[in-house]
Amino acid sequence: MSVMVAVSDSPEGAVALAAGVAEADQLDTDLIIVNLSLTEVDTSLVPATLNFKIVDRKGRDDRDPADAVLDEIRDHAVDRLVIGIKRRSPVGKAFLGSISQRLLLDSPVPVVAVKLGMRDA
Amino acid sequence: MLEDGVRTSPLVAVPPDIAGPHRKRLGLIAVVATFGGLLFGYDTGVINGALAPMKEDLGLTAFTEGFVVSILIFGAAFGALIGGRLADAYGRRHNILMLAGIFTVGTLGCVVAPDWEVLALFRFVLGLAVGGASATVPVYLAEVSPAERRGSLVTRNEVMIVWGQFAAFVVNALIFNIWGEHDSVWRYMLVVAVLPAFALFFGMLRMPESPRWLISQGREAEALKVLKQIRSPERAVAEMAEVHALAEEEKEAQTGGWADLSVPWIRRLLLIGIGLGVFQQFTGINSIMYYGSQLLEDAGFSAKAAIIANTANGLFSVLGVTVGILIMNKIDRRKMLLGGFVLTTSFHILVGLSATLLPDSTVKPYIILLFVICFVFSMQGTIGPLVWLLLAEIFPLKIRSFAMGMCVFMLWIANAGVAFGFPPVVSALGIAPTFFIFAGLGVAALLFIHTMVPETRGRSLEEFEDEFRAQHA
């Protein structure tokens, strides 16, 4: 089994990655990092002792980040999804949709949602 | 122009291409495919010169004139979007053949149009083909050419577009000076465009599909067969690996979309790209390419002299693009852009000043013509090709397809907006104020470039991306 963390190109993404590492540590499982950004994900803070793999978005099928994460959950034995969330303006939501909202509602496994400035995050 | 692989070295080492019959085949492919660029130029340029007799024959007003001219460009905006998708789904060759058919139907529809409404409809159809050609031909050329010649073959298409416009101006000048008295003289001008459309169609029937597209469809054996026609035998086999890598890269380029615009630095890059495309069109270059003869007539030339003088705009457009492509990689991008806009803005002001301040005389139209030509040359020698180069290199690979699509769409829309607005604005305000408006837009462009546009020359895409991301996180 493993923990999956969705890491976006934002401060919330970094917080989610840290929380994902903590979660995998606690459950003593592997970590699957789904890189939602369009560049490389920074894993310098992931401890060397943790077994992790990175999955990048690739191709038109992964254009929607939420679909990309849900597909990966289907393809792997995942028992927890970790995401970073933030408040979105109604306008931003209308134009770009909310990835977090879709993951919270559509994920087939329990979701841990972390925010910036949380205790222990 | 899509400068595919401008700053990326070949992904896989391959033996150098050696001389042989395959070279001739590749050369022929380039000639045939660039008929797509030529048609693009001819069909956008032919209205310049056809417009005056058309206005009389069909009774166009300043509004319907702008409408009939600009609807082709609106069509091109959508043709570019749809054309790219169709070329991915059904193949480049298939798409170019279809476009040649649409070019023919659109042209004949315009030629026989009884009124401006029907004319507008078929101009829109032609626009779809023009946009489709702009999205398909450079891709096809890049995909059939070997890495070391890719840049120059794709550039050739860009040059063919301005040659197409120049050719249209010359043909129009000839036809008008022979049959200028006929009401239908504009129909003779338009019908000439079926010739290159036929050449494209029958030529393309004998050309192969793009090997990269075949591989993206999993058609390995066919891809190798095509490569063997256009490469030396050893190179063909060696290049399969490279084509595979490029097909993968192209798949990656289609990753990003709307959702990625929530990332500030990516949003900023997209805004820069859109700004570059829009300001390129706000120089008003295409108001000269579409309305040059009219403008020169307004400036004081007779109808017959104006249409002949207008061929100078076409000639200097060709010379400008040729020079621009030669110097493009030798000067920093920002310097060249800023320099270009300083030049174009100065010439706008000079055109405006000579139109207001000079007393009416036989010399006045020639002075205006001189400054218009200087504007065309400096625009095509700098901003014109440079904006296309920047659009091809500022975006991270994974969002390139989406981002370029957005920028090119907005560029076409800005082009159409200028084409639509130019006749009513000139008829309401006159030449001079219109050019002062272009000068004002040029100043806005200078501010935009100075504050927003990054330097990309001499840096790898990765270096640029890291820097830009760090600055605008």
Side-chain angles (χ1 to χ4, degrees), chain B residues 54-398:
Chain B
M54 182 189 282
K55 251 166 90 176
E56 255 176 61
D57 193 26
L58 301 181
L60 301 182
T61 63
F63 172 81
T64 50
E65 185 188 343
F67 186 83
V68 164
V69 172
S70 64
I71 195 167
L72 182 141
I73 318 300
F74 278 113
F78 292 97
L81 280 187
I82 306 163
R85 295 299 294 269
L86 290 178
D88 283 346
Y90 300 107
R92 314 337 184 181
R93 178 176 174 272
H94 178 279
N95 219 40
I96 296 176
L97 282 172
M98 187 186 72
L99 289 168
I102 300 178
F103 268 121
T104 310
V105 171
T107 301
L108 294 177
C110 290
V111 168
V112 300
D115 49 35
W116 72 266
E117 289 92 340
V118 176
L119 180 69
L121 176 73
F122 282 100
R123 293 264 303 163
F124 182 78
V125 171
L126 260 185
L128 292 174
V130 166
S134 77
T136 316
V137 174
V139 172
Y140 177 73
L141 282 171
E143 291 182 351
V144 295
S145 33
E148 59 271 27
R149 291 186 57 200
R150 204 163 285 151
S152 75
L153 274 183
V154 175
T155 306
R156 200 198 287 186
N157 186 55
E158 187 72 357
V159 178
M160 284 299 270
I161 294 173
V162 281
W163 269 109
Q165 291 178 329
F166 180 40
F169 298 171
V170 172
V171 170
N172 283 356
L174 283 173
I175 292 179
F176 189 72
N177 278 280
I178 301 171
W179 295 294
E181 317 311 321
H182 296 204
D183 285 343
S184 293
V185 64
W186 61 274
R187 299 180 198 270
Y188 311 161
M189 296 175 180
L190 299 193
V191 79
V192 176
V194 297
L195 294 177
F198 283 159
L200 181 66
F201 184 81
F202 291 106
M204 212 52 207
L205 277 179
R206 306 186 50 216
M207 296 299 129
E209 182 51 271
S210 143
R212 198 186 304 174
W213 182 79
L214 287 169
I215 281 189
S216 76
Q217 303 291 305
R219 291 155 67 173
E220 305 272 326
E222 289 167 76
L224 184 60
K225 220 172 112 188
V226 173
L227 273 177
K228 281 185 170 160
Q229 293 177 25
I230 55 179
R231 300 286 188 277
S232 61
E234 312 81 65
R235 166 113 181 201
V237 176
E239 213 174 292
M240 282 295 278
E242 196 206 6
V243 181
H244 261 282
L246 287 169
E248 278 298 293
E249 193 181 287
E250 191 179 295
K251 192 178 167 204
E252 266 193 47
Q254 300 187 342
T255 305
W258 287 104
D260 296 290
L261 299 185
S262 63
V263 180
W265 69 276
I266 290 184
R267 196 163 54 222
R268 190 179 169 99
L269 270 182
L270 183 68
L271 285 179
I272 291 172
I274 290 175
L276 284 170
V278 168
F279 278 122
Q280 185 209 50
Q281 291 304 316
F282 282 178
T283 59
I285 180 66
N286 282 316
S287 55
I288 308 295
M289 292 299 126
Y290 308 149
Y291 301 108
S293 307
Q294 294 248 295
L295 181 77
L296 294 174
E297 212 179 317
D298 289 349
F301 283 102
S302 72
K304 281 195 172 172
I307 202 167
I308 292 171
N310 179 60
T311 59
N313 289 328
L315 176 64
F316 279 84
S317 176
V318 170
L319 294 175
V321 168
T322 311
V323 170
I325 287 167
L326 286 176
I327 61 173
M328 202 156 55
N329 278 309
K330 302 193 173 82
I331 304 174
D332 285 341
R333 314 268 194 256
R334 271 175 61 92
K335 267 186 208 146
M336 197 163 157
L337 270 181
L338 290 169
F341 273 104
V342 167
L343 284 173
T344 54
T345 306
S346 310
F347 290 123
H348 284 145
I349 294 171
L350 286 170
V351 171
L353 288 179
S354 15
T356 33
L357 297 184
L358 291 180
D360 283 335
S361 67
T362 45
V363 208
K364 183 178 173 179
Y366 287 95
I367 294 177
I368 293 180
L369 172 67
L370 174 73
F371 291 136
V372 169
I373 289 173
C374 289
F375 157 68
V376 169
F377 182 77
S378 33
M379 154 72 200
Q380 300 289 49
T382 56
I383 308 161
L386 198 53
V387 162
W388 289 106
L389 180 66
L390 276 162
L391 289 182
E393 69 182 14
I394 59 173
F395 298 114
L397 173 64
K398 283 200 169 176

Side-chain angles (χ1 to χ4, degrees), chain A residues 9-10 35-40 56-65 86 88 95-96 99, chain B residues 85 88 248 251-252 254-263 265-266 398-399 401-402 465 469:
Chain A
D9 191 348
S10 63
N35 176 18
L36 297 185
S37 82
L38 296 177
T39 50
E40 281 178 19
D56 287 306
R57 284 162 66 203
K58 187 177 175 191
R60 194 179 278 275
D61 296 342
D62 285 343
R63 190 165 269 196
D64 181 338
K86 69 168 176 190
R88 285 285 291 281
F95 273 104
L96 304 172
I99 296 162
Chain B
R85 295 299 294 269
D88 283 346
E248 278 298 293
K251 192 178 167 204
E252 266 193 47
Q254 300 187 342
T255 305
W258 287 104
D260 296 290
L261 299 185
S262 63
V263 180
W265 69 276
I266 290 184
K398 283 200 169 176
I399 198 162
S401 169
F402 174 80
E465 217 173 280
R469 190 178 177 204

